[in-house]
């Protein structure tokens, strides 16, 4: 008989962590609003959603439990859920915890990471994270710094002059290497970083970490930036256009990537395509043939005329895409070489 818990639904919440590992979605933390008060949800519960069966289940957690918080940043590497930062009744946090999600008996045990090298980010919440090469790469967030910690990466919102504490938004980047248990702050080697922000979204595509939107004061932003996670160079943009494609792709083209307060010369001509749903079987087959045209060159002429026309268009598409990719790589290598020589 199925566990009756499996037929329940996870509690409503905001400010929670959610990650996917394998066939399951995991949800932890957050808060609900009750009579204009923020009530933090239990820190000893983790909710799982079976993506295949569509069933929810709740498990109780053990170990060194994080405090009940909202605005924490969750990320998953190799079956481990890492939770950093957040806000609770005592203020902002810069603690890092992890829990193994791949348990056989449904036992989830939290561990607080206390033995590490390097300096973690200052306390904050509403930050985001890229996962790349077994590293957690954190960006932005809202929190506080002391007077001797103020830097250009911090946009001050409020201050307590007696305690010399300043609250505001960040746009700094911090890296935690999960293999060596080491915190580091990479040197940004080029480009214009995004404006400090919180409550933004992050995603990784290849070796690029994308940032979209976020909030500063009452302003909700819709600019798009990316950070090359190998070279640590920023690009991004605003005043771009976005259109819906024939298979529900979001197609972003053009825009400005400069700080318009100082100069406006860096315009973009690349096209970014975000896939929002699985492609049709026909599209997948056409792409497969287009990518492997050299291997299939003897079979392609045997296709029916109507289908052959579509295949030839796909071959042209992927030939052009590969050419542009090679040109972009050569350009990046040239720019990196120039920066290395000029920075010696």
């Amino acid at each position: 008989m199925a566990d009756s818990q499996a037929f329940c639904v996870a509690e409503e919440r905001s400010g929670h962590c959610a990650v996917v590992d394998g066939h399951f979605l995991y949800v932890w933390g957050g808060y609900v609003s009750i009579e204009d008060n923020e009530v933090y949800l239990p820190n000893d519960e983790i909710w799982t959603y079976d993506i295949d069966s569509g069933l929810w289940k709740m498990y109780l957690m053990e170990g060194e439990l994080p405090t009940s918080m909202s605005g924490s940043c969750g990320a998953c590497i190799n079956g481990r859920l890492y939770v950093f930062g957040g806000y609770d009744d005592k203020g902002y946090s810069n603690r890092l915890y992890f829990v193994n999600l791949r348990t056989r008996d449904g036992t989830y045990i939290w561990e607080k990471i206390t033995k590490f090298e390097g300096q973690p980010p200052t306390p904050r919440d509403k930050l985001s994270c890229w996962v790349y090469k077994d590293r957690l790469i954190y960006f932005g967030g809202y929190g506080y710094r002391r007077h001797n910690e103020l830097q250009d990466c911090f946009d001050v919102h409020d201050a307590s002059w007696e305690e010399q504490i300043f609250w505001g938004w960040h746009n700094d980047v911090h890296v935690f290497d999960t293999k060596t248990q080491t915190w580091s702050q990479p040197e940004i080697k080029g480009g214009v970083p995004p404006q400090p922000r919180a409550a933004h979204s992050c995603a990784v595509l290849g070796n690029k970490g994308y940032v979209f939107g976020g909030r500063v004061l009452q302003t909700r932003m819709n600019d798009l930036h990316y950070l090359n996670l190998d070279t640590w160079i920023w690009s991004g943009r605003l005043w771009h256009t976005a259109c819906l494609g024939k298979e529900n792709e979001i197609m972003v083209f053009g825009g400005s990537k400069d700080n318009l307060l100082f100069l406006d010369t860096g315009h973009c001509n690349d096209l970014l395509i975000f896939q929002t749903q699985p492609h049709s079987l026909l599209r997948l087959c056409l792409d497969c043939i287009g990518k492997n045209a050299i291997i299939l060159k003897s079979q392609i002429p045997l296709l029916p005329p109507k289908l052959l026309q579509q295949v030839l268009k796909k071959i042209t598409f992927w030939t052009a895409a590969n050419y542009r990719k090679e040109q972009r790589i050569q350009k990046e290598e040239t720019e990196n070489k120039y920066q290395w020589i000029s920075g010696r």
Side-chain angles (χ1 to χ4, degrees):
M1 180 179 292
D3 190 330
S4 60
Q5 280 196 93
F7 295 98
C8 61
V9 178
E11 295 178 83
E12 297 177 352
R13 66 189 69 205
S14 296
H16 52 279
C17 298
V19 300
V20 172
D21 183 57
H23 297 276
F24 292 91
L25 168 73
Y26 297 86
V27 176
W28 177 86
Y31 73 96
V32 293
S33 297
I34 300 177
E35 296 180 354
D36 296 328
N37 293 317
E38 292 185 358
V39 178
Y40 299 104
L41 291 168
N43 60 343
D44 63 347
E45 293 181 359
I46 189 166
W47 289 81
T48 67
Y49 177 78
D50 188 319
I51 298 172
D52 295 327
S53 66
L55 299 178
W56 283 99
K57 192 170 183 179
M58 186 272 285
Y59 293 89
L60 292 176
M61 311 183 78
E62 304 174 9
E64 300 175 275
L65 296 169
T67 56
S68 297
M69 293 183 291
S70 69
S72 300
C73 183
C76 187
I77 294 183
N78 299 325
R80 286 184 169 187
L81 165 62
Y82 290 85
V83 171
F84 175 81
Y87 181 84
D88 61 16
D89 293 330
K90 296 182 180 179
Y92 297 92
S93 165
N94 65 347
R95 299 181 294 271
L96 180 63
Y97 298 83
F98 78 89
V99 58
N100 179 22
L101 300 176
R102 299 177 183 174
T103 62
R104 294 185 178 181
D105 58 357
T107 301
Y108 296 96
I109 301 177
W110 281 108
E111 292 187 40
K112 181 180 178 182
I113 297 178
T114 56
K115 295 181 180 179
F116 56 82
E117 301 292 331
Q119 184 67 33
T122 54
R124 62 190 70 184
D125 73 345
K126 300 183 182 69
L127 67 162
S128 287
C129 177
W130 300 295
V131 175
Y132 184 66
K133 293 182 177 178
D134 291 322
R135 294 176 298 168
L136 301 167
I137 305 175
Y138 294 98
F139 170 77
Y142 184 90
Y144 73 84
R145 287 175 177 253
R146 299 190 181 278
H147 186 269
N148 61 354
E149 297 173 325
L150 294 181
Q151 298 175 359
D152 292 339
C153 63
F154 188 65
D155 188 350
V156 175
H157 171 217
D158 199 0
S160 171
W161 295 104
E162 290 184 5
E163 300 175 341
Q164 292 290 290
I165 294 178
F166 299 79
W167 289 269
W169 291 269
H170 299 79
N171 70 346
D172 49 353
V173 177
H174 294 263
V175 178
F176 182 75
D177 190 313
T178 59
K179 289 187 174 180
T180 63
Q181 301 282 92
T182 302
W183 282 104
S184 62
Q185 190 168 6
E187 177 187 356
I188 303 302
K189 302 194 178 169
V192 179
Q195 181 181 352
R197 64 192 62 205
H200 48 282
S201 60
C202 282
V204 172
L205 184 62
N207 69 341
K208 294 179 175 62
Y210 288 87
V211 176
F212 178 78
R215 173 185 172 183
V216 173
L217 289 174
Q218 301 304 316
T219 301
R220 268 71 172 178
M221 294 172 285
N222 68 344
D223 49 345
L224 176 68
H225 306 259
Y226 76 78
L227 177 65
N228 187 307
L229 303 178
D230 289 320
T231 63
W232 303 113
I233 296 175
W234 278 109
S235 299
R237 70 190 64 197
L238 70 161
W239 287 5
H240 48 278
T241 57
C243 307
L244 190 64
K246 65 178 183 179
E247 291 196 29
N248 287 330
E249 302 118 327
I250 298 174
M251 310 180 77
V252 178
F253 177 75
S256 174
K257 61 182 180 180
D258 281 331
N259 186 330
L260 300 182
L261 298 178
F262 298 101
L263 70 165
D264 186 19
T265 59
H267 300 282
C268 306
N269 69 342
D270 52 344
L271 177 65
L272 303 176
I273 300 177
F274 297 91
Q275 184 181 339
T276 61
Q277 68 178 31
H279 287 147
S280 66
L281 181 58
L282 174 61
R283 171 75 176 271
L284 294 174
C285 292
L286 291 173
D287 282 335
C288 182
I289 296 173
K291 292 178 182 179
N292 298 281
I294 296 177
I295 300 174
L296 302 172
K297 63 180 180 180
S298 61
Q299 287 91 356
I300 290 174
L302 303 176
L303 292 170
K306 187 175 181 180
L307 188 58
L308 179 59
Q309 291 180 4
Q310 297 183 66
V311 167
L312 292 178
K313 287 183 179 180
K314 277 297 176 183
I315 293 174
T316 302
F317 172 87
W318 285 109
T319 301
N322 291 333
Y323 174 78
R324 287 193 292 267
K325 181 179 179 181
E326 292 173 0
Q327 293 294 106
R328 185 170 63 251
I329 292 174
Q330 291 179 6
K331 181 180 178 182
E332 290 179 353
E333 289 177 349
T334 302
E335 291 176 349
N336 294 339
K337 182 178 180 181
Y338 173 77
Q339 290 178 356
W340 181 80
I341 292 174
S342 61
R344 283 195 303 179

